[in-house]
Amino acid sequence: QVQLVESGGGLVQAGGSLRLSCVASGRTFSNYAMGWFRQAPGKEREFVAAKSRSSTTTYYANSVKGRFTISRDSAKNTVYLQMNSLKPEDTAVYYCAAGSTVAPRDFEYWGQGTQVTVPS
């Protein structure tokens, strides 16, 4: 079992930046691919970014490519999502996830979510 706790959400003006953090515990952090997903009101949860166990592979949704950066720090058992040039359409609850591979279907452990709001 892996426990995930996100932090760093908040309200930010369009064009601003936020950095989300997710601390993992319970199992060996390096054994898992880590990812970020988000769910906006009235919409399904969608993939945002993922990084493989060894950090050699990284994927981004087209909607965030060039603006968001995922990184992981094994010494701190933490994965980050740096979000720049935020837009109102980035407003959502952001979830951290851990899984066996970077394929969205393989993420099996989830955090409780952190709210990001970008007013229009």
Side-chain angles (χ1 to χ4, degrees), residues 14-110:
S17 299
L18 277 177
R19 189 178 79 157
L20 305 183
S21 301
C22 172
V23 179
S25 61
R27 292 281 181 91
T28 303
F29 181 71
S30 58
N31 286 347
Y32 293 91
M34 300 299 296
W36 289 94
F37 294 73
R38 67 187 182 186
Q39 187 167 20
K43 295 187 177 181
E44 293 187 354
R45 186 168 60 194
E46 65 175 0
F47 168 79
V48 175
K51 187 172 280 289
S52 63
R53 289 176 287 180
S54 60
S55 294
T56 54
T57 304
T58 304
Y59 293 105
Y60 295 98
N62 288 334
S63 58
V64 307
K65 202 171 294 184
R67 299 188 298 121
F68 291 11
T69 303
I70 185 172
S71 61
R72 55 189 297 165
D73 184 339
S74 293
K76 296 181 178 180
N77 287 356
T78 301
V79 62
Y80 303 97
L81 185 68
Q82 178 67 45
M83 305 185 295
N84 298 328
S85 302
L86 282 160
K87 305 175 181 180
E89 51 263 44
D90 294 318
T91 294
V93 177
Y94 283 72
Y95 297 92
C96 171
S100 55
T101 79
V102 293
R105 67 179 181 275
D106 288 337
F107 284 93
E108 55 184 316
Y109 300 105
W110 298 86

